[in-house]
Amino acid sequence: MSVQTHPQSVQLPVARAATMPAGDVRAALGSASDGLDEEEAARRLALGANVLEARRVSWPHVLVRQFASPLQGLLVAAAGLSFATGDQLNATVIVTILLGSALLGFVNEYRAERTAADLHGRISHTIVVVRAGAERPLPVRELVPGDVIRIGLGNIVPADARLLEADHLEADEGVLTGESAAVEKSVHPVSAGSSLADLSSCLLMGTVVHAGTARAVVTATGHQTEFGHIAAGLAQGLPETAFQRGLKEFSLMLLWVGLALTGGILAINLLLQRPLLDSVLFSLAIAVGITPQLLPAVVSTSLAAGSRLLAKDGVLVKRLLAIEDLGNLDVLLTDKTGTLTEGRIGFEEALPVTPGLDAAGQLVELALLCCESDPAEPGASGAGQNPVDAALWAAFPDRRPPLAGQHRLGLRPFDHETRTMQTTVARAGGPVRILKGAPEAVLDRCAGVSPDARTLLDGLFRRGARVVAVASGPAAGPGAEDKDDGGTRLTLAGFLSFIDQPKADARASIQRLAGLGVEVKVATGDNALVAQHVISVLGMPDGAVLTGAQVSDMDDDELAAAAAGARVFARVSPEQKARIVIVLRRAHAVGFLGDGVNDALALNRADVGISVDSATDIAKDAADVVLLEKDLGVLADGVVGGRRIFANTIKYLLMGTSSNFGNMFSAAAASAFLAFLPMLPGQILLNNLLYDTSQLAIPTDRVDADQLRRPAHWDIGAIRHFMLIFGPISSLFDFATFGLMLWVFQAAPEEFRAGWFVESLATQTLIVFVIRTRRIPFFRSRASATLTAGVLAVAAAGAVIPYTPFGSLVGFRPLPGPFFLALVGMVVLYLVLVETAKHFYYRGADARASRERAVSERAVPAAVPSAAVHASHGRVHRRAVPFLVHTGKTRVRRARGAGVAGGRR
């Protein structure tokens, strides 16, 4: 019977609980061996969920970020000085346009922040809890103090808890203590005053079960846990990624170019004895014009819009910037179960090999006695067990009750090193040891295995069955389960056959990935014959098969050479999976798809770790991308989406280099020979604001199929090269406009500025139709309707402004009608010239890429570092993912002397 108590009395510090006997802890928490009842649990949950309040970036923070550029700050200061000296109109125009630009960036960046937070909330984590004597899975956020939980290999500990039972339990507590070695746990109390690292009788929130199983009672949840105290800085984010560094390098490149032009322009204007304040304002406006003011907003908008589309396809991106990595993939290493197969393991048949053993009797009973859950334990269920044990329990519900009288003396849970699990059971003739696991591992412990048994096993493998072997023998007594063989050889009882059919749509998904340039390789713990059967059924290309034993015998260079041509890696350990990922990364962008605890290491080592919503907690924690369905077709959608998002982001960067640089270069040159400023500071900023507004529709643009067929990569050198080629082309037509206005129309300064404003805005916005594709624009590749409408609307607005009162306000004068005839001709000629230059640019780029590929094929690149070492803050942030929630708060709240920030990242 569950004990009820007032919910305000249930929190118990783990340091105190660790010193108390387990029974006293349960009593203090108002719990019992069969857990809480649902009514009491609901009362406690009302007091507070098991969550950490991580402060998401608030709207004031995003707004302030729009003014983070020191150049903008200087421009505002100069405008203030201009206002103080009597030029209120120009100062007001400058400040208004800057505010409009900041508001545009704020709206788009804040929407992106909200999208990331909403997607985060869709990733679920569960734990097996005992409520009113019955086990059932429960979302970790609904856990309350006093709950009794069952936890095992690979689980992230969901709360601070006092151990009630522990079987060979070890926990990785490095996220809290910094120690890399797993810590042994036991139910025995520790002495008072023990340090956090010495609380061996407790499990701590955020740590990972490295081995064994346990039952424990929750002592504290949420921000009351030790992990909650340490995780107070969760709002600060993760370490900078390669994509972020690339964006920063691009921004700095344009910033330095802008500063150089600004210095030159300022010096020229001062030498020409123009007013100091006007010269400073003009120079700063040039600098602001060339820097990508809305780059964060465009990138965030593109990533957020893409992530929403991916989410509709069942792909949740935990880090928005991982989208680039997803698009870069050219090798996918995946497990077999649930990805290439249905993932629903069903019991097929029991095949005894010992004479006189009943296939539907003793063999199955031995197997049921050697499961993670004890059939003799009241309320035990298949929930939370590994797929094989869960399938066995589901197949024989009537076999479990008669086993309730069988007393289990000990358990060694399944581990990936021995690939077996073992129990010792008390029987009339003495204790019996039962071993269950991978057939090769079990047969190595058995005596007298007949050739017929091995022939039977080989036949099961060849038809694609998943096989578990069961053996038994006398045990020395309690504790014998700690030894590999208990001092005696075992007798093979037989095999259990399970079936997991290949997916009907897997063949088409693999072919689709191949069409995207992604090679699929299989890494599995299953037998090589089983894996070969599956890939044969799915029509995958032939390739070598490497076993775990072969992998262990190779050095890294040998493995790199062998892995390149391998299709299947069979009977590989977690460490071997990670090593395979590392050597493949020497020449490829590698994705790893896995859902088990044995996949976590490889998920961390891959360029992009991919897991599924039904995966173990540690696998989802280690992954960058979570699939709502374990389907290669969904993953192919994700790869295409990643490439589309990255391609659209690069379009904006190329636009920024080709147009901004050209226009600012033209302004610098014009200021050297004109008797007046070619454009006023406010007019430059207005031009930049309208241009950036038109580019915010780029995330909606279509992407050509040939851009999606190969991985996309960040290349600062290529962008710089693009700037130096296409920027001067833009300047040629600016100079033509200057000549037209001065020598044909004899334009006054106000009319000259209006003419250049209209021409520069038209050319730098309309060029997107050429730059957005490698094909012939309009005929072989058309932009999205949204982008087309946005660009044409901005170009039209620029042409109309000189005729409006606002145009007069900012210093424009209406233009003569013949100017627009000349403008149409210049725009058409400009687009044709850019299209021609684009053809030669990409032909040269393709030739360089071919030479680089040839060089890379002749030499094996140096090994990629095994894994980036994250700062401790980054590890805490990733581990906190299952427990983070958005509260909408922006202040830091304090609890028990430790801060926990409000909101969700």
Side-chain angles (χ1 to χ4, degrees), residues 112-476:
E113 295 278 358
R114 293 288 300 270
T115 296
D118 292 343
L119 291 178
H120 169 88
R122 295 178 61 179
I123 301 173
S124 62
H125 294 76
T126 60
I127 193 72
V128 176
V129 66
V130 180
R131 291 273 176 90
E135 293 182 350
R136 69 178 180 89
L138 184 79
V140 296
R141 297 179 184 186
E142 296 180 19
L143 211 58
V144 298
D147 265 329
V148 174
I149 58 175
R150 178 159 62 80
I151 198 162
L153 179 66
N155 287 137
I156 297 175
V157 179
D160 285 354
R162 174 64 166 88
L163 291 171
L164 303 176
E165 302 171 8
D167 289 313
H168 300 80
L169 186 66
E170 296 180 8
D172 178 355
E173 298 181 340
V175 70
L176 297 179
T177 65
E179 296 294 331
S180 58
V183 179
E184 293 185 4
K185 297 289 184 176
S186 71
V187 298
H188 304 298
V190 301
S191 58
S194 296
S195 67
L196 187 68
D198 295 326
L199 302 182
S200 59
S201 61
C202 289
L203 289 170
L204 303 173
M205 182 185 196
T207 62
V208 179
V209 177
H210 183 265
T213 60
R215 287 168 64 91
V217 60
V218 174
T219 61
T221 58
H223 61 269
Q224 298 289 349
T225 64
E226 294 297 324
F227 185 83
H229 298 165
I230 293 173
L234 290 175
Q236 297 177 16
L238 290 171
E240 189 176 59
T241 67
F243 186 67
Q244 288 170 308
R245 288 193 296 272
L247 289 177
K248 181 181 292 185
E249 289 175 13
F250 171 76
S251 300
L252 287 175
M253 178 190 73
L254 286 189
L255 178 60
W256 285 117
V257 172
L259 289 175
L261 290 176
T262 299
I265 291 169
L266 182 59
I268 290 171
N269 280 274
L270 292 178
L271 288 174
L272 295 175
Q273 298 183 340
R274 290 172 180 160
L276 175 63
L277 185 58
D278 288 347
S279 299
V280 170
L281 282 171
F282 179 72
S283 301
L284 289 174
I286 291 291
V288 170
I290 198 171
T291 54
Q293 289 174 275
L294 290 186
L295 177 59
V298 170
V299 172
S300 298
T301 300
S302 184
L303 293 175
S307 65
R308 285 192 294 268
L309 292 175
L310 291 179
K312 291 180 181 178
D313 291 332
V315 181
L316 301 186
V317 181
K318 289 169 60 179
R319 287 186 306 110
L320 288 183
L321 292 170
I323 289 174
E324 185 217 11
D325 298 323
L326 191 59
N328 280 348
L329 292 187
D330 58 1
V331 168
L332 174 68
L333 194 63
T334 177
D335 62 355
K336 175 179 64 65
T337 304
T339 306
L340 304 180
T341 63
E342 293 290 347
R344 293 189 295 271
I345 297 176
F347 177 79
E348 189 179 34
E349 59 180 327
L351 302 168
V353 297
T354 301
L357 192 66
D358 177 13
Q362 293 100 315
L363 176 57
V364 170
E365 289 181 1
L366 287 172
L368 288 170
L369 288 169
C370 192
C371 286
E372 292 178 350
S373 291
D374 187 353
E377 187 176 308
S381 72
Q385 296 197 76
N386 64 68
V388 169
D389 285 356
L392 193 62
W393 277 52
F396 297 100
D398 57 326
R399 291 277 180 177
R400 297 198 306 271
L403 300 178
Q406 303 269 5
H407 179 56
R408 180 184 286 181
L409 300 176
L411 167 71
R412 176 176 61 74
F414 180 87
D415 67 78
H416 295 285
E417 293 182 6
T418 66
R419 293 183 288 126
T420 62
M421 66 183 301
Q422 184 174 279
T423 57
T424 305
V425 179
R427 287 194 168 175
V432 174
R433 188 161 56 92
I434 306 170
L435 186 70
K436 185 177 74 176
E440 297 93 335
V442 173
L443 265 59
D444 284 346
R445 313 275 179 83
C446 294
V449 178
S450 67
D452 290 343
R454 296 185 184 275
T455 301
L456 174 62
L457 176 62
D458 188 65
L460 291 172
F461 282 149
R462 289 188 181 281
R463 64 180 175 85
R466 185 166 183 173
V467 184
V468 172
V470 180
S472 65

Side-chain angles (χ1 to χ4, degrees), residues 624-648:
D624 300 303
V625 175
V626 176
L627 308 180
L628 296 184
E629 298 178 34
K630 196 171 185 182
D631 185 349
L632 289 182
V634 173
L635 181 58
D637 291 336
V639 171
V640 171
R643 293 180 184 178
R644 180 181 294 113
I645 293 164
F646 186 70
N648 281 333

Side-chain angles (χ1 to χ4, degrees), residues 824-838:
V824 171
M826 284 193 296
V827 167
V828 171
L829 183 60
Y830 174 59
L831 295 180
V832 170
L833 185 57
V834 170
E835 176 64 25
T836 303
K838 182 186 73 175

Side-chain angles (χ1 to χ4, degrees), residues 448-817:
V449 178
S450 67
D452 290 343
R454 296 185 184 275
T455 301
L456 174 62
L457 176 62
D458 188 65
L460 291 172
F461 282 149
R462 289 188 181 281
R463 64 180 175 85
R466 185 166 183 173
V467 184
V468 172
V470 180
S472 65
E481 71 282 353
D482 291 326
K483 303 177 183 179
D484 283 341
D485 59 17
T488 62
R489 301 295 286 176
L490 300 175
T491 300
L492 179 65
F495 304 113
L496 302 175
S497 171
F498 298 83
I499 193 67
D500 186 10
Q501 295 289 351
K503 284 186 175 179
D505 58 355
R507 178 192 289 263
S509 299
I510 292 169
Q511 291 174 346
R512 186 180 172 202
L513 284 170
L516 294 171
V518 180
E519 181 184 7
V520 178
K521 298 177 183 287
V522 179
T524 178
D526 266 356
N527 180 275
L529 292 174
V530 177
Q532 283 181 301
H533 171 80
V534 171
I535 68 171
S536 174
V537 170
L538 295 176
M540 292 177 64
D542 292 333
V545 177
L546 292 180
T547 65
Q550 291 172 313
V551 170
S552 64
D553 289 339
M554 297 179 183
D555 61 28
D556 285 349
D557 290 338
E558 292 172 334
L559 180 58
R567 180 65 59 183
V568 173
F569 304 91
R571 292 298 194 206
V572 285
S573 69
E575 291 77 13
Q576 289 170 338
K577 289 182 182 180
R579 187 171 165 230
I580 292 165
V581 167
I582 291 168
V583 298
L584 285 172
R585 285 182 62 197
R586 293 183 176 188
H588 300 279
V590 180
F592 185 87
L593 173 58
D595 62 355
V597 61
N598 58 326
D599 297 320
L601 195 58
L603 286 166
N604 269 316
R605 298 296 192 267
D607 291 295
V608 54
I610 308 161
S611 193
V612 292
D613 194 38
S614 58
T616 59
D617 290 346
I618 188 62
K620 283 190 286 189
D621 175 56
D624 300 303
V625 175
V626 176
L627 308 180
L628 296 184
E629 298 178 34
K630 196 171 185 182
D631 185 349
L632 289 182
V634 173
L635 181 58
D637 291 336
V639 171
V640 171
R643 293 180 184 178
R644 180 181 294 113
I645 293 164
F646 186 70
N648 281 333
T649 302
I650 292 297
K651 287 176 188 177
Y652 175 79
L653 302 183
L654 296 178
M655 287 291 294
T657 55
S658 61
S659 58
N660 285 14
F661 174 73
N663 285 338
M664 298 310 104
F665 179 78
S666 301
S671 64
F673 67 85
L674 289 176
F676 53 87
L677 292 176
M679 205 180 288
L680 297 177
Q683 295 166 352
I684 292 174
L685 295 175
L686 177 61
N687 182 291
N688 198 49
L689 173 63
L690 289 173
Y691 161 74
D692 277 335
T693 301
S694 72
Q695 303 312 299
L696 285 174
I698 281 181
T700 69
D701 192 26
R702 301 184 183 98
V703 177
D704 296 339
D706 54 352
Q707 288 183 271
L708 301 176
R709 281 197 290 265
R710 57 185 181 274
H713 299 282
W714 180 264
D715 190 344
I716 281 287
I719 294 175
R720 187 186 301 112
H721 187 56
F722 193 95
M723 177 183 73
L724 295 176
I725 290 177
F726 291 89
I729 295 176
S730 173
S731 293
L732 287 177
F733 287 85
D734 290 336
F735 296 149
T737 302
F738 296 161
L740 180 70
M741 300 306 297
L742 290 174
W743 300 322
V744 176
F745 295 113
Q746 307 294 319
E750 294 82 3
E751 193 176 15
F752 178 95
R753 291 163 182 155
W756 187 34
F757 177 87
V758 172
E759 180 270 338
S760 66
L761 188 60
T763 53
Q764 70 179 337
T765 53
L766 294 175
I767 195 179
V768 71
F769 295 119
V770 178
I771 288 179
R772 58 169 294 276
T773 177
R774 294 183 60 162
R775 299 177 176 180
I776 299 175
F778 308 113
F779 298 100
R780 297 188 61 192
S781 177
R782 285 178 290 181
S784 69
T786 304
L787 179 61
T788 301
V791 169
L792 294 179
V794 167
V800 170
I801 283 176
Y803 299 93
T804 65
F806 177 72
S808 300
L809 185 66
V810 297
F812 291 140
R813 180 181 294 180
L815 293 163

Side-chain angles (χ1 to χ4, degrees), residues 35-54:
L36 303 173
D37 59 37
E38 295 293 348
E39 184 179 354
E40 175 65 13
R43 280 199 296 267
R44 298 188 183 193
L45 184 61
L47 182 64
N50 181 36
V51 296
L52 299 176
E53 299 168 356

